[in-house]
Amino acid sequence: MDRDTIEKAVKEAVQNHFQCNGKYPCEGRDYCEFCNGHNPAFDCDEYCGADSFNEGFFAGANWRVNSVWHNPSEKPNGMFIIIIDFGNETGAEEFGLGVTSDDLAGARRWAYVSDLLPERIEGQRNA
């Protein structure tokens, strides 16, 4: 998930949540960055909460992406497919797949592949 994808999603979520183009159209739609313009929502309507909604949305998206990663000192629980981030000395990401084991030598972090998939029921893992 990249920043552009999150920005599109938050724009859609703001419009749906605040009904900007629907039941409660805002008079500042032509100026607001969540509709057609480039200004923060506060500049268009000081009572609009879209700017705070945007910050929370980004914080939640970033938390979700980062929350699945484990420190290599934490060993995988059982036999599952994991993705391993080995990284390198230049800071570039180098990923590999594996079946969980106690050998995570050289890993910077790891995640269960099932935790990266959408529509997962919390607390449930697929082997």
Side-chain angles (χ1 to χ4, degrees):
M1 177 178 354
D2 61 14
R3 185 162 183 89
D4 288 340
T5 303
I6 297 171
E7 285 176 1
K8 282 183 189 177
V10 75
K11 185 175 181 178
E12 183 178 314
V14 164
Q15 289 178 6
N16 288 337
H17 182 77
F18 291 99
Q19 298 284 308
C20 302
N21 296 314
K23 189 174 181 179
Y24 305 106
C26 175
E27 293 177 13
R29 285 186 313 230
D30 291 336
Y31 310 105
C32 178
E33 67 182 319
F34 301 108
C35 293
N36 303 316
H38 300 287
N39 293 343
F42 182 82
D43 289 352
C44 305
D45 180 350
E46 66 183 291
Y47 300 107
C48 180
D51 293 326
S52 295
F53 186 99
N54 175 52
E55 291 174 20
F57 194 100
F58 268 99
N62 285 325
W63 175 85
R64 174 63 182 101
V65 168
N66 293 318
S67 69
V68 300
W69 292 99
H70 300 270
N71 200 320
S73 63
E74 181 184 345
K75 300 301 178 197
N77 186 13
M79 294 300 288
F80 299 100
I81 298 173
I82 61 172
I83 186 166
I84 306 164
D85 177 5
F86 292 102
N88 66 31
E89 57 279 350
T90 65
E93 306 288 339
E94 290 183 13
F95 294 99
L97 289 175
V99 176
T100 58
S101 69
D102 289 336
D103 186 16
L104 293 170
R108 186 167 63 181
R109 60 187 181 163
W110 64 271
Y112 294 105
V113 169
S114 61
D115 285 346
L116 300 171
L117 302 174
E119 304 293 323
R120 187 176 65 78
I121 297 171
E122 214 41 52
Q124 187 178 59
R125 287 206 173 17
N126 298 321

